Amino acid sequence: MEELKHECGVAMIRLLKPLEYYEQKYGTWAYGLNKLYLMMEKQHNRGQEGAGIASVKMGTKPGCEYMFREKAEGKDAITEIFSRVNRDFAGELYMGHLRYSTTGKSGLTYVHPFLRRNNWRAKNLCLCGNFNMTNIGEVFDKLTAQGQCPRIYSDSYIMLEWMGHRLDREVERNFMDAKQQGLSGQDITNYIDNHVEMGNVLRTTMPNFDGGYVVCGLTGSGELFSMRDPWGIRPAFYYRNDEVVALASERPVLQTTFDLDAADICELQPGQALLVNSRGESTLEQIIPQRGDSACSFERIYFSRGNDSDIYQERKKLGELLTGAILKAVDNDVDHTVFSFIPNTAEVAYYGMLGGFKRYLNDRKIERIEALGRIPTREELNAILNDYVRSEKAAWKDIKLRTFITEGNQRNDLASHVYDITYDVLEQGVDNLVVIDDSIVRGTTLKESIIKILDRLHPKKIVLVSSAPQIRYPDYYGIDMARLEEFIAFRACMELLKERGMHDLIEDVYRQCKSGGEECYVKQLYKPFTVQELNEKMVQMLRPDDVTTPIELVFQSIEGLHTACPHHHGDWYFTGNYPTVGGVRLCNQAFVNYIEKVYNQETKF
């Protein structure tokens, strides 16, 4: 119900034939650009704050441009940048990026790709990625200790400078080799261009970074590379044939763009890099040994496009697995329950939930028929078979209302009308209303809009269902939720601790977080409470003052999550089990920040 800004999207294409080949076969010089455009549009869900593209044209003469880049801000950035390109942009290497800020930094300066220029073709580096690094301070210190002075303090720019520094060393290594072979002038340049090994650059840079990432890059000499973090947190998929090598953040993007089956596409493995050299030869290299199995489960629940065949089934399973908990919430009264969903991203989980209840009703029908002990009459069969799952489009999301009214009360009133209802879809005071969402994060939209709107239907009870478990901990690997106090589950936990006089626990956890260490001490705050206790406190906090209808929250269990998404074990936002030390440290620091900036305003230790 609350939109999350999250992982960025990447797209790369390496054309393996001369440009004339594509113009003759496909009838346009823009074959590569058109494919890049389609790949980016199919990943528009991954970034609406900005976009950028880059290309490299090989075989150019000195004095002619060979590396191009375009960037733009805003939700229409893709259209804007592709409207600017012309035939000069044609090349053999293409790279695109879609940006969602997860650090609060905005502006064209922070839109990928980033470009490091040099008069040596092979030293030109263009970089983009889907990443958040948790130890950027440490890497910054290493750079400055070498005498460098980065212009901007951000993980993207610091990575560009660190990798650019190592690329310089790789070029210089080849320069010395060429000199030893007696080469000179342009022969040295050609030797370097043909012998740069980006695997060497990655091996001397990426082990320094802690975080979740897919890093992509191009060099002026025609090297293309993409590398995935060794924990497998962020996703990447690639496809190779005799015409192209292509990579994207999501599998269906490649399927649609190149008309492929899922089996044609491979997933880049943790710590692995896809490398294409200047001659068009592609290889896979294990840059860092795999350090964990922590593929982001939020990708499956919410972020990735639901038309991936596996993700579609996983989201349906998430909904289906909630059947028992929802039955309990409505006291098994399915006959007087209407099912719906908000927002559209929860639609697939909704289908799974309906499927679970259809199976439940079918089992109940069989039991009723068997209980008759005889062949039923037609009327009896009709009475039994007419039991069905009552599903309705109970809520609608309208277009965003403009905030030209600045007075707080009037702005809040406008916010409460972001959603609307379909009137008369249930019997007032008799029917329960079950509404499923993919996740409940902050609770702001629930309190300010959704609960009030749903209450206008006057149901007997409102059951708000999340296909994801309770979100209790911040994310530092690419999702825009870095502060503990943002989460309604955390705020409920703190309220319960205060109500029960457990200030000693709060103080102990604060001291432990302050002292450092590699254990997530914040997890201790939740241990005194059951999921149900936290649910009940959240309902108290989210209930608008003028709503008296009974409300219940139902969340997915951790066990249900891993049953539905068996190959994506990254669940730190639910469990506090961070895959990297950097994530643990930042979570502990987030609690220190909360105590010192928020909690101490109310209570002093």
Side-chain angles (χ1 to χ4, degrees), residues 6-9 46-52 72-74 97-112 114 129 156:
H6 54 90
E7 294 100 323
C8 302
R46 304 187 71 88
Q48 298 181 27
E49 290 187 0
E73 289 186 274
H97 185 266
L98 297 115
R99 181 176 192 261
Y100 254 136
S101 169
T102 59
T103 61
K105 296 177 179 178
S106 60
L108 200 60
T109 300
Y110 295 99
V111 175
H112 302 209
F114 302 102
S156 304

mmCIF file of all heavy atoms in Angstrom, residues 6-9 46-52 72-74 97-112 114 129 156:
data_model
loop_
_atom_site.group_PDB
_atom_site.id
_atom_site.type_symbol
_atom_site.label_atom_id
_atom_site.label_comp_id
_atom_site.label_asym_id
_atom_site.label_seq_id
_atom_site.Cartn_x
_atom_site.Cartn_y
_atom_site.Cartn_z
ATOM 1 N N HIS A 6 13.492 1.550 -4.617
ATOM 2 C CA HIS A 6 14.283 0.349 -4.412
ATOM 3 C C HIS A 6 15.355 0.198 -5.467
ATOM 4 O O HIS A 6 15.787 1.166 -6.067
ATOM 5 C CB HIS A 6 13.376 -0.875 -4.393
ATOM 6 C CG HIS A 6 12.496 -0.994 -5.590
ATOM 7 N ND1 HIS A 6 12.875 -1.669 -6.717
ATOM 8 C CD2 HIS A 6 11.268 -0.491 -5.843
ATOM 9 C CE1 HIS A 6 11.904 -1.607 -7.616
ATOM 10 N NE2 HIS A 6 10.919 -0.910 -7.105
ATOM 11 N N GLU A 7 15.766 -1.049 -5.649
ATOM 12 C CA GLU A 7 16.855 -1.373 -6.522
ATOM 13 C C GLU A 7 16.733 -0.725 -7.896
ATOM 14 O O GLU A 7 15.665 -0.650 -8.466
ATOM 15 C CB GLU A 7 16.921 -2.899 -6.728
ATOM 16 C CG GLU A 7 17.268 -3.654 -5.477
ATOM 17 C CD GLU A 7 16.051 -4.251 -4.818
ATOM 18 O OE1 GLU A 7 15.005 -3.593 -4.845
ATOM 19 O OE2 GLU A 7 16.157 -5.351 -4.279
ATOM 20 N N CYS A 8 17.870 -0.291 -8.408
ATOM 21 C CA CYS A 8 17.902 0.265 -9.750
ATOM 22 C C CYS A 8 17.859 -0.867 -10.773
ATOM 23 O O CYS A 8 17.887 -2.045 -10.435
ATOM 24 C CB CYS A 8 19.169 1.085 -9.942
ATOM 25 S SG CYS A 8 19.331 2.436 -8.756
ATOM 26 N N GLY A 9 17.789 -0.496 -12.041
ATOM 27 C CA GLY A 9 17.795 -1.474 -13.117
ATOM 28 C C GLY A 9 18.961 -1.230 -14.053
ATOM 29 O O GLY A 9 19.330 -0.077 -14.313
ATOM 30 N N ARG A 46 11.795 -0.302 -12.024
ATOM 31 C CA ARG A 46 12.951 -0.294 -11.141
ATOM 32 C C ARG A 46 13.548 1.091 -10.946
ATOM 33 O O ARG A 46 14.490 1.237 -10.152
ATOM 34 C CB ARG A 46 14.029 -1.243 -11.668
ATOM 35 C CG ARG A 46 13.549 -2.665 -11.860
ATOM 36 C CD ARG A 46 14.690 -3.587 -12.227
ATOM 37 N NE ARG A 46 15.565 -3.810 -11.098
ATOM 38 C CZ ARG A 46 15.392 -4.777 -10.202
ATOM 39 N NH1 ARG A 46 14.371 -5.605 -10.300
ATOM 40 N NH2 ARG A 46 16.238 -4.929 -9.211
ATOM 41 N N GLY A 47 13.036 2.100 -11.636
ATOM 42 C CA GLY A 47 13.626 3.421 -11.457
ATOM 43 C C GLY A 47 12.890 4.495 -12.206
ATOM 44 O O GLY A 47 12.809 4.444 -13.430
ATOM 45 N N GLN A 48 12.357 5.461 -11.485
ATOM 46 C CA GLN A 48 11.610 6.541 -12.121
ATOM 47 C C GLN A 48 12.119 7.920 -11.704
ATOM 48 O O GLN A 48 11.446 8.916 -11.894
ATOM 49 C CB GLN A 48 10.128 6.400 -11.794
ATOM 50 C CG GLN A 48 9.531 5.102 -12.314
ATOM 51 C CD GLN A 48 8.067 4.959 -12.010
ATOM 52 O OE1 GLN A 48 7.347 5.937 -11.868
ATOM 53 N NE2 GLN A 48 7.593 3.724 -11.888
ATOM 54 N N GLU A 49 13.313 7.956 -11.126
ATOM 55 C CA GLU A 49 13.895 9.251 -10.745
ATOM 56 C C GLU A 49 14.892 9.749 -11.774
ATOM 57 O O GLU A 49 15.239 10.921 -11.801
ATOM 58 C CB GLU A 49 14.577 9.136 -9.387
ATOM 59 C CG GLU A 49 13.603 8.965 -8.242
ATOM 60 C CD GLU A 49 14.278 9.019 -6.898
ATOM 61 O OE1 GLU A 49 15.524 9.191 -6.858
ATOM 62 O OE2 GLU A 49 13.590 8.889 -5.882
ATOM 63 N N GLY A 50 15.374 8.846 -12.614
ATOM 64 C CA GLY A 50 16.346 9.248 -13.613
ATOM 65 C C GLY A 50 16.784 8.064 -14.439
ATOM 66 O O GLY A 50 16.516 6.911 -14.098
ATOM 67 N N ALA A 51 17.453 8.335 -15.556
ATOM 68 C CA ALA A 51 17.951 7.276 -16.419
ATOM 69 C C ALA A 51 19.138 7.795 -17.202
ATOM 70 O O ALA A 51 19.303 9.006 -17.402
ATOM 71 C CB ALA A 51 16.853 6.788 -17.369
ATOM 72 N N GLY A 52 19.976 6.861 -17.640
ATOM 73 C CA GLY A 52 21.127 7.231 -18.442
ATOM 74 C C GLY A 52 21.530 6.101 -19.352
ATOM 75 O O GLY A 52 21.255 4.927 -19.077
ATOM 76 N N ALA A 72 19.245 11.915 -17.902
ATOM 77 C CA ALA A 72 18.106 12.805 -17.656
ATOM 78 C C ALA A 72 17.464 12.418 -16.335
ATOM 79 O O ALA A 72 17.595 11.289 -15.853
ATOM 80 C CB ALA A 72 17.088 12.725 -18.786
ATOM 81 N N GLU A 73 16.747 13.378 -15.758
ATOM 82 C CA GLU A 73 16.015 13.143 -14.510
ATOM 83 C C GLU A 73 14.527 13.011 -14.788
ATOM 84 O O GLU A 73 14.027 13.434 -15.829
ATOM 85 C CB GLU A 73 16.229 14.310 -13.539
ATOM 86 C CG GLU A 73 17.612 14.411 -12.945
ATOM 87 C CD GLU A 73 17.667 15.495 -11.892
ATOM 88 O OE1 GLU A 73 17.894 16.665 -12.254
ATOM 89 O OE2 GLU A 73 17.452 15.189 -10.699
ATOM 90 N N GLY A 74 13.806 12.428 -13.829
ATOM 91 C CA GLY A 74 12.352 12.386 -13.890
ATOM 92 C C GLY A 74 11.811 11.091 -14.464
ATOM 93 O O GLY A 74 12.535 10.276 -15.045
ATOM 94 N N HIS A 97 20.811 2.492 -17.608
ATOM 95 C CA HIS A 97 20.566 2.452 -16.160
ATOM 96 C C HIS A 97 19.300 3.210 -15.830
ATOM 97 O O HIS A 97 19.007 4.268 -16.398
ATOM 98 C CB HIS A 97 21.748 3.074 -15.409
ATOM 99 C CG HIS A 97 21.636 2.970 -13.920
ATOM 100 N ND1 HIS A 97 21.088 3.972 -13.145
ATOM 101 C CD2 HIS A 97 21.994 1.983 -13.065
ATOM 102 C CE1 HIS A 97 21.111 3.594 -11.876
ATOM 103 N NE2 HIS A 97 21.659 2.399 -11.799
ATOM 104 N N LEU A 98 18.539 2.657 -14.885
ATOM 105 C CA LEU A 98 17.361 3.343 -14.333
ATOM 106 C C LEU A 98 17.588 3.540 -12.850
ATOM 107 O O LEU A 98 17.986 2.605 -12.149
ATOM 108 C CB LEU A 98 16.103 2.516 -14.572
ATOM 109 C CG LEU A 98 15.784 2.322 -16.048
ATOM 110 C CD1 LEU A 98 15.912 0.856 -16.407
ATOM 111 C CD2 LEU A 98 14.404 2.832 -16.376
ATOM 112 N N ARG A 99 17.300 4.734 -12.354
ATOM 113 C CA ARG A 99 17.694 5.073 -10.989
ATOM 114 C C ARG A 99 16.508 5.316 -10.076
ATOM 115 O O ARG A 99 15.567 6.015 -10.415
ATOM 116 C CB ARG A 99 18.568 6.329 -10.976
ATOM 117 C CG ARG A 99 19.045 6.720 -9.565
ATOM 118 C CD ARG A 99 19.984 7.916 -9.608
ATOM 119 N NE ARG A 99 20.647 8.104 -8.332
ATOM 120 C CZ ARG A 99 20.276 8.980 -7.402
ATOM 121 N NH1 ARG A 99 19.233 9.760 -7.629
ATOM 122 N NH2 ARG A 99 20.924 9.096 -6.267
ATOM 123 N N TYR A 100 16.598 4.701 -8.903
ATOM 124 C CA TYR A 100 15.812 5.076 -7.740
ATOM 125 C C TYR A 100 16.815 5.421 -6.652
ATOM 126 O O TYR A 100 17.676 4.601 -6.321
ATOM 127 C CB TYR A 100 14.944 3.919 -7.259
ATOM 128 C CG TYR A 100 13.476 4.046 -7.559
ATOM 129 C CD1 TYR A 100 12.767 2.957 -8.032
ATOM 130 C CD2 TYR A 100 12.798 5.243 -7.366
ATOM 131 C CE1 TYR A 100 11.410 3.042 -8.310
ATOM 132 C CE2 TYR A 100 11.447 5.336 -7.642
ATOM 133 C CZ TYR A 100 10.755 4.238 -8.118
ATOM 134 O OH TYR A 100 9.423 4.329 -8.386
ATOM 135 N N SER A 101 16.730 6.590 -6.093
ATOM 136 C CA SER A 101 17.651 6.958 -5.029
ATOM 137 C C SER A 101 17.282 6.240 -3.747
ATOM 138 O O SER A 101 16.136 6.253 -3.315
ATOM 139 C CB SER A 101 17.612 8.471 -4.794
ATOM 140 O OG SER A 101 18.302 8.800 -3.601
ATOM 141 N N THR A 102 18.279 5.618 -3.103
ATOM 142 C CA THR A 102 18.066 5.009 -1.793
ATOM 143 C C THR A 102 18.910 5.698 -0.738
ATOM 144 O O THR A 102 18.981 5.247 0.393
ATOM 145 C CB THR A 102 18.437 3.513 -1.827
ATOM 146 O OG1 THR A 102 19.805 3.377 -2.218
ATOM 147 C CG2 THR A 102 17.553 2.762 -2.793
ATOM 148 N N THR A 103 19.548 6.807 -1.112
ATOM 149 C CA THR A 103 20.421 7.514 -0.177
ATOM 150 C C THR A 103 19.939 8.931 0.112
ATOM 151 O O THR A 103 20.547 9.632 0.893
ATOM 152 C CB THR A 103 21.844 7.594 -0.747
ATOM 153 O OG1 THR A 103 21.810 8.331 -1.985
ATOM 154 C CG2 THR A 103 22.409 6.216 -1.010
ATOM 155 N N GLY A 104 18.872 9.357 -0.548
ATOM 156 C CA GLY A 104 18.372 10.707 -0.358
ATOM 157 C C GLY A 104 19.050 11.728 -1.244
ATOM 158 O O GLY A 104 18.667 12.895 -1.260
ATOM 159 N N LYS A 105 20.075 11.322 -1.999
ATOM 160 C CA LYS A 105 20.794 12.253 -2.858
ATOM 161 C C LYS A 105 20.109 12.299 -4.220
ATOM 162 O O LYS A 105 19.788 11.258 -4.794
ATOM 163 C CB LYS A 105 22.254 11.820 -3.013
ATOM 164 C CG LYS A 105 23.035 11.865 -1.704
ATOM 165 C CD LYS A 105 24.461 11.366 -1.881
ATOM 166 C CE LYS A 105 25.231 11.440 -0.566
ATOM 167 N NZ LYS A 105 26.604 10.913 -0.690
ATOM 168 N N SER A 106 19.891 13.500 -4.714
ATOM 169 C CA SER A 106 19.188 13.641 -5.984
ATOM 170 C C SER A 106 19.915 14.653 -6.858
ATOM 171 O O SER A 106 20.800 15.381 -6.408
ATOM 172 C CB SER A 106 17.738 14.082 -5.747
ATOM 173 O OG SER A 106 17.700 15.318 -5.070
ATOM 174 N N GLY A 107 19.517 14.707 -8.118
ATOM 175 C CA GLY A 107 20.141 15.603 -9.069
ATOM 176 C C GLY A 107 20.846 14.829 -10.159
ATOM 177 O O GLY A 107 21.201 13.657 -9.989
ATOM 178 N N LEU A 108 21.062 15.486 -11.290
ATOM 179 C CA LEU A 108 21.659 14.830 -12.446
ATOM 180 C C LEU A 108 23.056 14.301 -12.140
ATOM 181 O O LEU A 108 23.503 13.316 -12.732
ATOM 182 C CB LEU A 108 21.712 15.812 -13.626
ATOM 183 C CG LEU A 108 21.850 15.203 -15.020
ATOM 184 C CD1 LEU A 108 20.686 14.284 -15.328
ATOM 185 C CD2 LEU A 108 21.965 16.299 -16.068
ATOM 186 N N THR A 109 23.750 14.933 -11.185
ATOM 187 C CA THR A 109 25.087 14.492 -10.805
ATOM 188 C C THR A 109 25.099 13.038 -10.362
ATOM 189 O O THR A 109 26.072 12.310 -10.581
ATOM 190 C CB THR A 109 25.628 15.376 -9.663
ATOM 191 O OG1 THR A 109 25.674 16.727 -10.110
ATOM 192 C CG2 THR A 109 27.024 14.937 -9.238
ATOM 193 N N TYR A 110 24.003 12.606 -9.730
ATOM 194 C CA TYR A 110 23.961 11.257 -9.161
ATOM 195 C C TYR A 110 23.295 10.231 -10.084
ATOM 196 O O TYR A 110 23.141 9.072 -9.710
ATOM 197 C CB TYR A 110 23.225 11.288 -7.824
ATOM 198 C CG TYR A 110 23.952 12.106 -6.784
ATOM 199 C CD1 TYR A 110 23.579 13.420 -6.520
ATOM 200 C CD2 TYR A 110 25.029 11.574 -6.092
ATOM 201 C CE1 TYR A 110 24.248 14.176 -5.582
ATOM 202 C CE2 TYR A 110 25.701 12.323 -5.137
ATOM 203 C CZ TYR A 110 25.310 13.627 -4.892
ATOM 204 O OH TYR A 110 25.981 14.373 -3.959
ATOM 205 N N VAL A 111 22.903 10.654 -11.283
ATOM 206 C CA VAL A 111 22.294 9.729 -12.235
ATOM 207 C C VAL A 111 23.398 8.962 -12.961
ATOM 208 O O VAL A 111 24.356 9.552 -13.460
ATOM 209 C CB VAL A 111 21.400 10.485 -13.240
ATOM 210 C CG1 VAL A 111 20.860 9.532 -14.302
ATOM 211 C CG2 VAL A 111 20.247 11.174 -12.519
ATOM 212 N N HIS A 112 23.287 7.641 -13.013
ATOM 213 C CA HIS A 112 24.233 6.796 -13.738
ATOM 214 C C HIS A 112 23.956 6.904 -15.246
ATOM 215 O O HIS A 112 22.848 7.268 -15.623
ATOM 216 C CB HIS A 112 24.061 5.342 -13.330
ATOM 217 C CG HIS A 112 24.241 5.077 -11.876
ATOM 218 N ND1 HIS A 112 24.700 3.868 -11.392
ATOM 219 C CD2 HIS A 112 24.019 5.830 -10.771
ATOM 220 C CE1 HIS A 112 24.729 3.894 -10.078
ATOM 221 N NE2 HIS A 112 24.302 5.070 -9.674
ATOM 222 N N PHE A 114 28.314 6.846 -14.796
ATOM 223 C CA PHE A 114 29.377 7.786 -14.471
ATOM 224 C C PHE A 114 30.537 7.534 -15.422
ATOM 225 O O PHE A 114 30.823 6.392 -15.783
ATOM 226 C CB PHE A 114 29.823 7.601 -13.025
ATOM 227 C CG PHE A 114 28.697 7.783 -12.050
ATOM 228 C CD1 PHE A 114 28.084 6.681 -11.473
ATOM 229 C CD2 PHE A 114 28.239 9.047 -11.733
ATOM 230 C CE1 PHE A 114 27.029 6.850 -10.585
ATOM 231 C CE2 PHE A 114 27.191 9.223 -10.853
ATOM 232 C CZ PHE A 114 26.585 8.125 -10.281
ATOM 233 N N GLY A 129 25.306 0.804 -12.055
ATOM 234 C CA GLY A 129 25.026 -0.391 -11.278
ATOM 235 C C GLY A 129 23.775 -0.311 -10.446
ATOM 236 O O GLY A 129 23.143 0.738 -10.302
ATOM 237 N N SER A 156 28.965 5.436 -5.666
ATOM 238 C CA SER A 156 29.132 5.340 -7.113
ATOM 239 C C SER A 156 30.424 6.012 -7.573
ATOM 240 O O SER A 156 31.209 5.422 -8.339
ATOM 241 C CB SER A 156 27.935 5.993 -7.821
ATOM 242 O OG SER A 156 26.728 5.418 -7.394
#
